Amino acid sequence: VQLQASGGGLVQAGGSLRLSCAASGGTIRNYGLGWFRQAPGKESTFVAFVSTLGWSGVWTEYADSVKGRFTISRDNAKNTMYLQMNSLEPEDTAIYHCAALQGGDSHSRHSYNLWGQGTLVTVSS
């Protein structure tokens, strides 16, 4: 399975963007999916996670810095994951990567075994 992120761009503070992560070469149905970001000169950090679809639906997790502003979702029929980002702040400027895992700590990049290339988000003040 290959992942490809898209949807990044330049936006003013307070604006919105929606990132997409499309999978090809297989299904993402059995993978938990996450977003990480890496700001200039900083290490990659966890942003959000969405679980596989269970009988009661999915659960989601967010970094404290994005709670209430970002929403992660998945559409298994389209083999795609999304990150809706609202009320963007200059501190959200980073390269955003999507990733997939099949177990482990969803907040640790080391748990993810599939990665897409990054998409750059730039938020101007």
Side-chain angles (χ1 to χ4, degrees):
V1 178
Q2 293 81 42
L3 304 177
Q4 181 161 348
S6 62
L10 174 63
V11 63
Q12 289 188 330
S16 298
L17 281 175
R18 188 175 82 155
L19 305 184
S20 298
C21 178
S24 60
T27 178
I28 57 170
R29 187 177 305 274
N30 297 321
Y31 289 88
L33 303 170
W35 289 96
F36 286 76
R37 67 185 181 186
Q38 186 166 18
K42 296 186 178 181
E43 293 186 352
S44 178
T45 59
F46 168 78
V47 176
F49 169 80
V50 59
S51 70
T52 53
L53 178 61
W55 65 272
S56 60
V58 299
W59 79 81
T60 56
E61 301 169 5
Y62 297 93
D64 288 343
S65 59
V66 307
K67 280 181 182 176
R69 300 188 298 123
F70 291 11
T71 302
I72 189 171
S73 61
R74 65 188 297 158
D75 186 337
N76 286 345
K78 295 183 178 180
N79 227 19
T80 302
M81 167 178 65
Y82 304 97
L83 185 69
Q84 178 66 43
M85 306 187 294
N86 298 329
S87 302
L88 282 162
E89 303 168 351
E91 292 74 23
D92 296 316
T93 294
I95 298 173
Y96 285 70
H97 290 89
C98 58
L101 61 70
Q102 291 185 298
D105 180 359
S106 59
H107 290 224
S108 171
R109 59 180 292 109
H110 300 294
S111 298
Y112 292 79
N113 57 336
L114 295 176
W115 288 87
Q117 92 296 349
T119 186
L120 176 62
V121 172
T122 304
V123 184
S124 63
S125 57

